[in-house]
Coordinates of all heavy atoms in Angstrom, one line a residue:
Q1 N 5.7 16.8 -6.8 CA 6.7 16.2 -7.7 C 8.1 16.4 -7.0 O 8.9 15.6 -7.1 CB 6.7 16.9 -9.0 CG 5.6 16.4 -10.0 CD 5.8 14.9 -10.3 OE1 5.9 14.1 -9.4 NE2 5.8 14.5 -11.5
V2 N 8.3 17.6 -6.4 CA 9.5 17.8 -5.7 C 9.8 16.8 -4.6 O 10.9 16.3 -4.4 CB 9.6 19.3 -5.2 CG1 10.8 19.5 -4.3 CG2 9.5 20.3 -6.3
T3 N 8.7 16.6 -3.8 CA 8.8 15.6 -2.7 C 9.1 14.2 -3.2 O 10.0 13.5 -2.7 CB 7.5 15.6 -1.9 OG1 7.2 16.9 -1.5 CG2 7.6 14.7 -0.7
L4 N 8.5 13.9 -4.3 CA 8.8 12.5 -4.9 C 10.2 12.4 -5.4 O 10.8 11.4 -5.3 CB 7.8 12.3 -6.1 CG 7.7 10.9 -6.6 CD1 7.4 9.9 -5.5 CD2 6.7 10.8 -7.7
S5 N 10.7 13.5 -6.0 CA 12.1 13.5 -6.4 C 13.1 13.4 -5.2 O 14.1 12.7 -5.3 CB 12.5 14.8 -7.1 OG 11.7 15.0 -8.3
I6 N 12.7 14.0 -4.1 CA 13.5 13.9 -2.9 C 13.5 12.4 -2.4 O 14.5 11.9 -2.0 CB 13.1 14.9 -1.8 CG1 13.4 16.3 -2.2 CG2 13.7 14.5 -0.4 CD1 12.8 17.3 -1.4
F7 N 12.3 11.8 -2.4 CA 12.2 10.4 -2.0 C 13.0 9.5 -2.9 O 13.6 8.5 -2.5 CB 10.7 10.0 -2.0 CG 9.9 10.5 -0.8 CD1 8.5 10.7 -1.0 CD2 10.5 10.8 0.4 CE1 7.8 11.2 0.1 CE2 9.8 11.3 1.4 CZ 8.4 11.5 1.3
E8 N 13.0 9.8 -4.2 CA 13.8 9.0 -5.1 C 15.3 9.1 -4.8 O 16.0 8.1 -4.8 CB 13.6 9.5 -6.6 CG 12.3 9.0 -7.2 CD 12.1 9.5 -8.6 OE1 13.1 10.1 -9.2 OE2 11.0 9.3 -9.1
L9 N 15.8 10.3 -4.5 CA 17.2 10.4 -4.1 C 17.5 9.7 -2.8 O 18.5 9.0 -2.6 CB 17.5 11.9 -3.9 CG 17.7 12.7 -5.2 CD1 17.8 14.2 -4.9 CD2 18.8 12.2 -6.0
A10 N 16.6 9.9 -1.8 CA 16.8 9.2 -0.5 C 16.8 7.7 -0.7 O 17.6 7.0 -0.1 CB 15.7 9.7 0.5
S11 N 15.9 7.2 -1.5 CA 15.7 5.8 -1.7 C 17.0 5.2 -2.4 O 17.5 4.1 -2.1 CB 14.5 5.5 -2.5 OG 14.4 4.1 -2.7
A12 N 17.5 6.0 -3.3 CA 18.8 5.6 -4.0 C 19.9 5.5 -3.1 O 20.9 4.7 -3.2 CB 19.0 6.5 -5.2
A13 N 19.9 6.4 -2.1 CA 21.0 6.4 -1.1 C 20.8 5.4 0.0 O 21.6 5.3 0.9 CB 21.1 7.8 -0.5
G14 N 19.7 4.7 0.0 CA 19.4 3.7 1.0 C 18.7 4.2 2.3 O 18.6 3.4 3.2
I15 N 18.2 5.4 2.2 CA 17.5 5.9 3.3 C 16.0 5.5 3.2 O 15.4 5.7 2.2 CB 17.6 7.5 3.4 CG1 19.1 7.9 3.5 CG2 16.8 8.1 4.5 CD1 19.4 9.3 3.2
P16 N 15.4 5.0 4.2 CA 14.0 4.6 4.2 C 13.1 5.8 4.0 O 13.3 6.8 4.6 CB 13.7 3.8 5.5 CG 14.8 4.2 6.4 CD 16.0 4.7 5.5
C17 N 12.1 5.7 3.2 CA 11.1 6.8 2.9 C 9.7 6.3 3.3 O 9.4 5.1 3.3 CB 11.1 7.1 1.5 SG 12.8 7.6 0.9
E18 N 8.8 7.2 3.5 CA 7.4 6.9 3.8 C 6.7 6.5 2.6 O 5.7 5.9 2.6 CB 6.7 8.0 4.6 CG 6.7 9.3 3.8 CD 6.0 10.4 4.7 OE1 6.5 10.6 5.8 OE2 5.1 11.1 4.1
V19 N 7.2 7.0 1.4 CA 6.6 6.6 0.1 C 7.6 6.0 -0.8 O 8.7 6.6 -0.9 CB 5.9 7.9 -0.5 CG1 5.4 7.5 -1.9 CG2 4.9 8.5 0.3
D20 N 7.3 4.9 -1.4 CA 8.3 4.2 -2.3 C 8.1 4.8 -3.7 O 7.1 4.7 -4.3 CB 8.0 2.7 -2.3 CG 9.0 1.9 -3.2 OD1 9.9 2.5 -3.7 OD2 8.7 0.7 -3.4
P21 N 9.2 5.6 -4.1 CA 9.0 6.3 -5.4 C 8.9 5.3 -6.6 O 8.2 5.7 -7.6 CB 10.3 7.1 -5.5 CG 11.2 6.5 -4.5 CD 10.4 5.8 -3.5
A22 N 9.5 4.2 -6.6 CA 9.4 3.2 -7.7 C 7.9 2.7 -7.8 O 7.4 2.6 -8.9 CB 10.3 2.0 -7.5
L23 N 7.3 2.4 -6.6 CA 5.9 2.0 -6.6 C 5.0 3.1 -7.1 O 4.0 2.8 -7.8 CB 5.5 1.5 -5.2 CG 4.2 0.9 -5.0 CD1 4.0 -0.3 -5.9 CD2 4.0 0.5 -3.6
V24 N 5.3 4.3 -6.7 CA 4.5 5.5 -7.2 C 4.5 5.6 -8.7 O 3.5 5.8 -9.4 CB 4.9 6.8 -6.5 CG1 4.2 8.0 -7.2 CG2 4.6 6.7 -5.1
N25 N 5.8 5.4 -9.3 CA 5.9 5.5 -10.7 C 5.2 4.4 -11.5 O 4.6 4.6 -12.5 CB 7.4 5.5 -11.1 CG 8.1 6.8 -10.7 OD1 7.4 7.9 -10.7 ND2 9.4 6.7 -10.4
V26 N 5.2 3.2 -10.9 CA 4.5 2.1 -11.6 C 3.0 2.3 -11.5 O 2.3 2.1 -12.5 CB 4.9 0.8 -10.9 CG1 4.0 -0.4 -11.3 CG2 6.4 0.4 -11.2
L27 N 2.5 2.7 -10.4 CA 1.1 3.0 -10.2 C 0.6 4.1 -11.1 O -0.5 4.1 -11.7 CB 0.7 3.2 -8.8 CG 0.8 2.0 -7.9 CD1 0.5 2.4 -6.4 CD2 -0.2 0.9 -8.3
A28 N 1.4 5.2 -11.2 CA 1.1 6.3 -12.0 C 1.1 5.9 -13.5 O 0.2 6.4 -14.3 CB 2.0 7.5 -11.8
G29 N 1.9 5.0 -13.9 CA 2.0 4.6 -15.3 C 1.0 3.6 -15.7 O 0.8 3.3 -16.9
S30 N 0.3 3.0 -14.7 CA -0.7 1.9 -15.0 C -2.1 2.4 -15.0 O -3.0 1.6 -15.0 CB -0.5 0.8 -14.0 OG -0.9 1.2 -12.7
K31 N -2.3 3.7 -15.1 CA -3.7 4.2 -15.2 C -4.3 3.8 -16.5 O -3.7 3.8 -17.5 CB -3.7 5.8 -15.1 CG -3.3 6.3 -13.8 CD -3.6 7.8 -13.7 CE -3.3 8.3 -12.3 NZ -3.6 9.7 -12.2
T32 N -5.6 3.4 -16.3 CA -6.3 2.9 -17.5 C -6.8 4.1 -18.4 O -7.2 5.1 -17.9 CB -7.5 2.1 -17.1 OG1 -8.4 2.9 -16.2 CG2 -7.1 0.8 -16.3
E33 N -6.7 3.9 -19.7 CA -7.0 4.9 -20.6 C -8.5 5.1 -20.6 O -9.3 4.2 -20.7 CB -6.5 4.6 -22.0 CG -6.6 5.7 -23.0 CD -5.9 5.4 -24.3 OE1 -4.8 4.8 -24.2 OE2 -6.5 5.7 -25.3
G34 N -9.0 6.3 -20.6 CA -10.4 6.6 -20.6 C -11.0 6.8 -19.3 O -12.2 7.3 -19.2
S35 N -10.4 6.4 -18.2 CA -10.9 6.6 -16.9 C -10.5 7.9 -16.3 O -9.4 8.4 -16.5 CB -10.5 5.4 -15.9 OG -9.2 5.5 -15.7
S36 N -11.3 8.5 -15.5 CA -11.0 9.8 -14.9 C -10.2 9.6 -13.6 O -10.1 8.5 -13.1 CB -12.3 10.5 -14.6 OG -13.0 9.9 -13.5
S37 N -9.6 10.7 -13.2 CA -8.8 10.7 -12.0 C -9.6 10.4 -10.8 O -9.2 9.7 -9.9 CB -8.0 12.0 -11.9 OG -7.3 12.1 -10.7
E38 N -10.8 11.0 -10.8 CA -11.7 10.8 -9.7 C -12.2 9.3 -9.6 O -12.3 8.8 -8.5 CB -13.0 11.7 -9.8 CG -13.9 11.7 -8.7 CD -13.4 12.2 -7.4 OE1 -12.5 13.1 -7.4 OE2 -13.8 11.8 -6.3
E39 N -12.4 8.7 -10.7 CA -12.8 7.3 -10.7 C -11.6 6.4 -10.2 O -11.9 5.5 -9.4 CB -13.1 6.9 -12.2 CG -13.9 5.6 -12.3 CD -14.3 5.4 -13.7 OE1 -15.1 6.2 -14.2 OE2 -13.8 4.5 -14.4
D40 N -10.4 6.7 -10.6 CA -9.3 5.9 -10.1 C -9.1 6.1 -8.6 O -8.7 5.2 -7.9 CB -8.0 6.4 -10.8 CG -7.9 5.9 -12.2 OD1 -8.6 4.9 -12.6 OD2 -7.1 6.4 -13.0
Y41 N -9.4 7.3 -8.1 CA -9.3 7.6 -6.7 C -10.3 6.8 -5.9 O -10.0 6.2 -4.9 CB -9.5 9.1 -6.4 CG -9.6 9.5 -5.0 CD1 -8.6 9.3 -4.1 CD2 -10.8 9.9 -4.5 CE1 -8.7 9.7 -2.7 CE2 -11.0 10.3 -3.1 CZ -9.9 10.1 -2.3 OH -10.1 10.4 -1.0
K42 N -11.5 6.7 -6.5 CA -12.6 5.9 -5.8 C -12.2 4.4 -5.8 O -12.5 3.8 -4.8 CB -13.9 6.1 -6.5 CG -14.5 7.4 -6.3 CD -15.8 7.6 -7.1 CE -16.4 8.9 -6.9 NZ -17.7 9.1 -7.7
V43 N -11.6 3.9 -6.8 CA -11.1 2.6 -6.8 C -10.0 2.3 -5.8 O -10.0 1.3 -5.1 CB -10.6 2.2 -8.2 CG1 -9.9 0.8 -8.2 CG2 -11.7 2.1 -9.2
A44 N -9.1 3.3 -5.6 CA -8.1 3.2 -4.5 C -8.8 3.1 -3.1 O -8.4 2.3 -2.3 CB -7.2 4.4 -4.6
C45 N -9.8 3.9 -2.9 CA -10.5 3.9 -1.6 C -11.3 2.6 -1.4 O -11.3 2.0 -0.3 CB -11.5 5.1 -1.6 SG -10.7 6.7 -1.4
L46 N -11.9 2.1 -2.5 CA -12.6 0.8 -2.4 C -11.6 -0.4 -2.2 O -12.0 -1.3 -1.5 CB -13.4 0.5 -3.7 CG -14.6 1.4 -3.9 CD1 -15.2 1.2 -5.2 CD2 -15.6 1.0 -2.8
L47 N -10.4 -0.2 -2.7 CA -9.4 -1.3 -2.4 C -9.1 -1.3 -0.9 O -9.0 -2.4 -0.3 CB -8.1 -1.0 -3.1 CG -6.9 -1.9 -2.8 CD1 -7.2 -3.3 -3.3 CD2 -5.6 -1.4 -3.4
L48 N -9.0 -0.2 -0.2 CA -8.8 -0.2 1.2 C -10.0 -0.7 2.0 O -9.9 -1.4 3.0 CB -8.5 1.2 1.7 CG -7.1 1.8 1.3 CD1 -6.9 3.1 1.9 CD2 -6.0 0.8 1.8
V49 N -11.2 -0.5 1.5 CA -12.4 -1.1 2.1 C -12.4 -2.6 2.0 O -12.7 -3.3 2.9 CB -13.7 -0.5 1.4 CG1 -14.9 -1.2 1.9 CG2 -13.8 1.0 1.8
F50 N -12.0 -3.1 0.8 CA -11.9 -4.5 0.6 C -10.9 -5.1 1.5 O -11.1 -6.2 2.1 CB -11.4 -4.8 -0.9 CG -11.1 -6.2 -1.2 CD1 -12.1 -7.2 -1.3 CD2 -9.8 -6.6 -1.3 CE1 -11.8 -8.5 -1.5 CE2 -9.5 -8.0 -1.5 CZ -10.5 -8.9 -1.6
V51 N -9.7 -4.5 1.7 CA -8.7 -5.0 2.7 C -9.3 -5.0 4.1 O -9.1 -6.0 4.8 CB -7.5 -4.1 2.6 CG1 -6.5 -4.4 3.8 CG2 -6.7 -4.3 1.3
A52 N -10.0 -4.0 4.5 CA -10.6 -3.9 5.8 C -11.6 -5.0 6.0 O -11.7 -5.6 7.1 CB -11.2 -2.5 6.1
V53 N -12.4 -5.3 5.0 CA -13.4 -6.4 5.2 C -12.8 -7.7 5.2 O -13.2 -8.7 5.8 CB -14.4 -6.2 4.0 CG1 -15.3 -7.4 3.9 CG2 -15.3 -5.0 4.2
S54 N -11.6 -7.9 4.5 CA -11.0 -9.2 4.3 C -10.1 -9.5 5.6 O -9.9 -10.7 5.8 CB -10.1 -9.2 3.1 OG -10.9 -9.0 2.0
L55 N -9.7 -8.6 6.3 CA -8.8 -8.8 7.4 C -9.4 -9.8 8.5 O -8.6 -10.7 8.9 CB -8.4 -7.5 8.1 CG -7.3 -6.8 7.4 CD1 -7.0 -5.5 8.1 CD2 -6.0 -7.6 7.3
P56 N -10.6 -9.6 8.9 CA -11.1 -10.6 9.9 C -11.2 -12.0 9.4 O -10.9 -13.0 10.1 CB -12.6 -10.1 10.2 CG -12.5 -8.7 9.8 CD -11.6 -8.5 8.7
L57 N -11.5 -12.2 8.1 CA -11.5 -13.5 7.5 C -10.1 -14.1 7.4 O -9.9 -15.3 7.7 CB -12.1 -13.5 6.1 CG -13.5 -13.1 6.0 CD1 -14.0 -12.9 4.5 CD2 -14.4 -14.2 6.6
L58 N -9.1 -13.3 7.1 CA -7.8 -13.8 7.0 C -7.2 -14.1 8.4 O -6.5 -15.0 8.6 CB -6.9 -12.7 6.4 CG -5.4 -13.1 6.0 CD1 -5.4 -14.3 5.1 CD2 -4.7 -11.9 5.4
A59 N -7.6 -13.3 9.4 CA -7.1 -13.5 10.8 C -7.7 -14.8 11.3 O -7.1 -15.5 12.2 CB -7.5 -12.4 11.7
S60 N -8.9 -15.2 10.9 CA -9.5 -16.5 11.4 C -9.0 -17.7 10.6 O -9.4 -18.8 11.0 CB -11.0 -16.4 11.4 OG -11.5 -16.3 10.0
D61 N -8.2 -17.5 9.6 CA -7.7 -18.6 8.8 C -6.7 -19.5 9.7 O -5.9 -18.9 10.5 CB -6.9 -18.1 7.6 CG -6.4 -19.2 6.7 OD1 -6.9 -20.3 6.8 OD2 -5.5 -18.9 5.9
P62 N -6.8 -20.8 9.6 CA -5.9 -21.7 10.5 C -4.4 -21.4 10.2 O -3.6 -21.7 11.0 CB -6.4 -23.1 10.1 CG -7.7 -22.9 9.6 CD -7.8 -21.6 8.9
A63 N -4.1 -21.0 9.0 CA -2.7 -20.7 8.7 C -2.2 -19.4 9.3 O -1.0 -19.1 9.2 CB -2.5 -20.7 7.1
S64 N -3.1 -18.7 9.9 CA -2.7 -17.4 10.5 C -2.3 -17.6 12.0 O -2.4 -16.7 12.8 CB -3.8 -16.4 10.4 OG -4.1 -16.1 9.1
I65 N -1.8 -18.7 12.3 CA -1.3 -19.0 13.7 C 0.2 -19.0 13.7 O 0.8 -19.5 12.8 CB -1.8 -20.4 14.2 CG1 -3.4 -20.4 14.3 CG2 -1.2 -20.8 15.5 CD1 -4.0 -21.7 14.6
Y66 N 0.8 -18.3 14.7 CA 2.2 -18.1 14.8 C 2.9 -19.5 14.9 O 2.5 -20.3 15.7 CB 2.6 -17.3 16.0 CG 4.0 -16.9 16.1 CD1 4.5 -15.9 15.2 CD2 4.8 -17.6 17.0 CE1 5.9 -15.6 15.3 CE2 6.2 -17.2 17.0 CZ 6.7 -16.3 16.2 OH 8.0 -16.0 16.3
N67 N 3.9 -19.7 14.1 CA 4.7 -20.9 14.1 C 6.1 -20.6 14.6 O 6.8 -19.9 14.0 CB 4.7 -21.5 12.7 CG 5.4 -22.8 12.6 OD1 6.0 -23.3 13.5 ND2 5.3 -23.5 11.4
T68 N 6.4 -21.2 15.7 CA 7.7 -20.9 16.3 C 8.9 -21.5 15.5 O 10.0 -21.1 15.6 CB 7.8 -21.5 17.8 OG1 7.5 -22.9 17.8 CG2 6.8 -20.7 18.7
E69 N 8.6 -22.6 14.8 CA 9.7 -23.2 14.0 C 10.2 -22.3 12.9 O 11.4 -22.3 12.6 CB 9.2 -24.5 13.4 CG 8.9 -25.6 14.4 CD 8.3 -26.8 13.8 OE1 8.2 -26.9 12.5 OE2 7.9 -27.7 14.6
V70 N 9.3 -21.5 12.3 CA 9.7 -20.6 11.2 C 9.8 -19.2 11.7 O 10.1 -18.3 10.9 CB 8.7 -20.7 10.0 CG1 8.8 -22.1 9.4 CG2 7.3 -20.4 10.4
D71 N 9.5 -19.0 13.0 CA 9.5 -17.6 13.6 C 8.6 -16.7 12.8 O 9.0 -15.5 12.5 CB 10.9 -17.1 13.7 CG 11.1 -16.0 14.7 OD1 10.2 -15.9 15.6 OD2 12.0 -15.2 14.5
G72 N 7.5 -17.1 12.5 CA 6.5 -16.3 11.7 C 5.2 -17.0 11.5 O 4.9 -18.0 12.2
Y73 N 4.5 -16.6 10.6 CA 3.2 -17.2 10.2 C 3.3 -18.0 8.9 O 4.1 -17.6 8.0 CB 2.1 -16.1 10.1 CG 1.9 -15.4 11.4 CD1 2.7 -14.3 11.7 CD2 0.9 -15.8 12.2 CE1 2.5 -13.6 12.9 CE2 0.7 -15.1 13.4 CZ 1.5 -14.0 13.8 OH 1.3 -13.4 15.0
N74 N 2.6 -19.1 8.8 CA 2.7 -19.9 7.7 C 2.2 -19.2 6.4 O 2.7 -19.5 5.3 CB 1.9 -21.2 7.9 CG 2.6 -22.1 8.9 OD1 3.8 -22.1 9.1 ND2 1.8 -22.9 9.6
N75 N 1.3 -18.3 6.5 CA 0.7 -17.6 5.4 C 1.3 -16.2 5.2 O 0.8 -15.4 4.4 CB -0.8 -17.6 5.4 CG -1.3 -16.8 6.6 OD1 -0.6 -16.3 7.4 ND2 -2.6 -16.7 6.7
N76 N 2.4 -15.9 5.9 CA 3.1 -14.6 5.9 C 2.2 -13.4 6.1 O 2.4 -12.3 5.6 CB 3.8 -14.4 4.5 CG 4.9 -15.4 4.3 OD1 5.6 -15.7 5.3 ND2 5.2 -15.7 3.1
I77 N 1.2 -13.6 7.0 CA 0.3 -12.5 7.4 C 1.0 -11.3 8.1 O 0.6 -10.2 8.0 CB -0.9 -13.0 8.2 CG1 -2.0 -12.0 8.2 CG2 -0.4 -13.4 9.6 CD1 -3.3 -12.5 8.9
H78 N 2.2 -11.6 8.6 CA 3.0 -10.6 9.3 C 3.5 -9.6 8.3 O 3.9 -8.5 8.7 CB 4.1 -11.2 10.1 CG 5.0 -12.1 9.3 ND1 4.7 -13.4 9.0 CD2 6.2 -11.8 8.8 CE1 5.7 -13.9 8.3 NE2 6.6 -13.0 8.1
C79 N 3.5 -9.9 7.1 CA 4.0 -8.9 6.0 C 2.9 -8.0 5.5 O 3.1 -7.0 4.8 CB 4.6 -9.6 4.9 SG 6.0 -10.7 5.3
L80 N 1.7 -8.4 5.9 CA 0.5 -7.7 5.3 C 0.4 -6.2 5.7 O 0.1 -5.4 4.9 CB -0.8 -8.4 5.7 CG -2.1 -8.1 5.0 CD1 -1.9 -8.3 3.5 CD2 -3.2 -8.9 5.4
A81 N 0.7 -5.9 7.0 CA 0.5 -4.5 7.4 C 1.5 -3.6 6.7 O 1.1 -2.5 6.3 CB 0.8 -4.5 8.9
K82 N 2.7 -4.0 6.5 CA 3.7 -3.2 5.8 C 3.3 -3.0 4.3 O 3.4 -2.0 3.8 CB 5.1 -3.8 5.9 CG 6.1 -2.9 5.4 CD 7.5 -3.4 5.9 CE 8.5 -2.3 5.5 NZ 9.7 -2.4 6.3
A83 N 2.7 -4.1 3.7 CA 2.3 -4.0 2.3 C 1.1 -3.0 2.2 O 1.1 -2.2 1.2 CB 1.9 -5.4 1.8
I84 N 0.2 -3.1 3.1 CA -1.0 -2.2 3.1 C -0.5 -0.7 3.2 O -1.0 0.1 2.5 CB -2.0 -2.6 4.2 CG1 -2.6 -3.9 3.8 CG2 -3.1 -1.5 4.3 CD1 -3.5 -4.5 5.0
I85 N 0.4 -0.5 4.1 CA 0.9 0.9 4.3 C 1.6 1.4 3.1 O 1.3 2.5 2.6 CB 1.9 0.9 5.5 CG1 1.1 0.7 6.8 CG2 2.6 2.2 5.6 CD1 1.9 0.5 8.0
H86 N 2.5 0.6 2.5 CA 3.2 1.1 1.3 C 2.3 1.3 0.1 O 2.5 2.3 -0.6 CB 4.4 0.1 1.0 CG 5.5 0.3 1.9 ND1 6.4 1.3 1.8 CD2 6.0 -0.5 2.9 CE1 7.3 1.2 2.8 NE2 7.1 0.1 3.5
V87 N 1.5 0.3 -0.2 CA 0.6 0.4 -1.4 C -0.4 1.6 -1.2 O -0.6 2.4 -2.1 CB -0.2 -0.9 -1.6 CG1 -1.2 -0.7 -2.7 CG2 0.8 -2.0 -2.0
S88 N -1.0 1.8 0.0 CA -1.9 2.9 0.1 C -1.2 4.2 0.1 O -1.7 5.2 -0.5 CB -2.7 2.7 1.4 OG -1.9 2.7 2.6
A89 N 0.0 4.3 0.7 CA 0.7 5.6 0.6 C 1.1 5.9 -0.9 O 0.9 7.1 -1.3 CB 2.0 5.5 1.4
A90 N 1.4 4.9 -1.7 CA 1.8 5.2 -3.1 C 0.5 5.5 -3.9 O 0.5 6.4 -4.7 CB 2.4 3.9 -3.7
L91 N -0.6 4.9 -3.6 CA -1.8 5.2 -4.3 C -2.3 6.6 -4.0 O -2.7 7.3 -4.9 CB -3.0 4.2 -3.9 CG -3.0 2.8 -4.6 CD1 -4.0 1.9 -3.9 CD2 -3.2 3.0 -6.1
F92 N -2.3 7.0 -2.8 CA -2.7 8.4 -2.5 C -1.7 9.4 -2.9 O -2.1 10.6 -3.1 CB -3.1 8.5 -1.0 CG -4.3 7.6 -0.7 CD1 -4.3 6.7 0.3 CD2 -5.5 7.8 -1.4 CE1 -5.4 5.9 0.6 CE2 -6.6 7.1 -1.1 CZ -6.6 6.1 -0.1
T93 N -0.4 9.1 -3.0 CA 0.5 10.0 -3.6 C 0.3 10.2 -5.0 O 0.3 11.3 -5.5 CB 2.0 9.5 -3.4 OG1 2.2 9.3 -2.0 CG2 3.0 10.4 -3.9
V94 N -0.1 9.2 -5.8 CA -0.4 9.3 -7.2 C -1.6 10.2 -7.4 O -1.7 11.0 -8.3 CB -0.8 7.9 -7.8 CG1 -1.4 8.0 -9.1 CG2 0.5 7.1 -7.9
H95 N -2.6 10.2 -6.4 CA -3.8 11.0 -6.5 C -3.7 12.3 -5.8 O -4.7 13.0 -5.7 CB -5.0 10.2 -6.0 CG -5.3 9.0 -6.8 ND1 -5.8 9.0 -8.1 CD2 -5.2 7.7 -6.5 CE1 -5.9 7.8 -8.6 NE2 -5.6 7.0 -7.6
H96 N -2.5 12.7 -5.4 CA -2.2 13.9 -4.7 C -3.1 14.2 -3.5 O -3.6 15.3 -3.3 CB -2.3 15.1 -5.7 CG -1.6 14.9 -7.0 ND1 -0.2 14.9 -7.0 CD2 -2.0 14.7 -8.2 CE1 0.2 14.7 -8.2 NE2 -0.8 14.6 -9.0
K97 N -3.2 13.1 -2.7 CA -4.0 13.2 -1.5 C -3.1 13.1 -0.3 O -2.0 12.7 -0.4 CB -5.1 12.1 -1.4 CG -6.0 12.1 -2.6 CD -6.9 13.2 -2.5 CE -7.9 13.1 -3.7 NZ -8.8 14.2 -3.8
N98 N -3.6 13.6 0.9 CA -2.8 13.5 2.1 C -2.8 12.1 2.6 O -3.8 11.5 2.9 CB -3.4 14.5 3.1 CG -2.6 14.6 4.4 OD1 -1.7 13.9 4.6 ND2 -2.9 15.6 5.2
I99 N -1.6 11.6 2.8 CA -1.4 10.2 3.2 C -1.9 10.0 4.6 O -2.6 9.0 4.9 CB 0.0 9.7 3.1 CG1 0.5 9.8 1.7 CG2 0.2 8.3 3.6 CD1 2.0 9.7 1.5
E100 N -1.6 10.9 5.6 CA -2.0 10.7 6.9 C -3.5 10.8 7.1 O -4.0 10.1 8.0 CB -1.3 11.8 7.8 CG 0.2 11.6 8.0 CD 1.0 12.1 6.9 OE1 0.5 13.0 6.1 OE2 2.2 11.7 6.7
T101 N -4.2 11.6 6.3 CA -5.6 11.7 6.5 C -6.3 10.5 6.0 O -7.3 10.0 6.7 CB -6.1 12.9 5.6 OG1 -5.5 14.1 6.0 CG2 -7.6 13.1 5.7
H102 N -5.8 9.8 5.0 CA -6.4 8.6 4.5 C -6.0 7.4 5.3 O -6.7 6.4 5.4 CB -6.1 8.4 3.0 CG -6.9 9.4 2.2 ND1 -6.5 10.7 2.0 CD2 -8.0 9.2 1.5 CE1 -7.4 11.3 1.2 NE2 -8.3 10.4 0.9

């Protein structure tokens, strides 16, 4: 909790953080009633497995070719890595797990 408070202060000051405190708060507040913490943790791990299985399919998509006119990809796949990092860091922070290990 102390670390999350420090991240909130740093984020408010415009300093980039390894964990987005707003995302952590949203994910912590969206826990389903009646489910255990261990069950939610398993769902977070399965989400990462789903992403890992989906990446080769997404990479072979014809829209995943670099377009020089827009200086990026037509399907915005270049944003995916950052999104995976931020969501997984927030999920494992909610479950009090080590981010680097996961």
Side-chain angles (χ1 to χ4, degrees):
Q1 283 299 52
V2 174
T3 305
L4 192 57
S5 298
I6 293 171
F7 285 152
E8 285 179 5
L9 287 172
S11 181
I15 300 170
C17 304
E18 61 184 50
V19 177
D20 184 4
L23 186 57
V24 171
N25 289 332
V26 169
L27 290 174
S30 68
K31 287 188 175 182
T32 56
E33 193 172 315
S35 66
S36 68
S37 175
E38 184 65 29
E39 196 173 294
D40 286 342
Y41 170 68
K42 287 179 184 177
V43 169
C45 291
L46 286 173
L47 175 66
L48 290 181
V49 171
F50 172 75
V51 168
V53 169
S54 300
L55 282 176
L57 295 172
L58 188 59
S60 65
D61 184 19
S64 296
I65 296 174
Y66 185 78
N67 186 350
T68 55
E69 293 175 6
V70 295
D71 198 25
Y73 297 84
N74 291 333
N75 61 358
N76 290 333
I77 195 171
H78 56 278
C79 302
L80 192 59
K82 192 165 189 161
I84 292 169
I85 290 169
H86 283 286
V87 171
S88 61
L91 279 172
F92 292 123
T93 300
V94 167
H95 296 292
H96 308 292
K97 302 292 182 182
N98 188 346
I99 298 169
E100 288 84 19
T101 304
H102 285 81

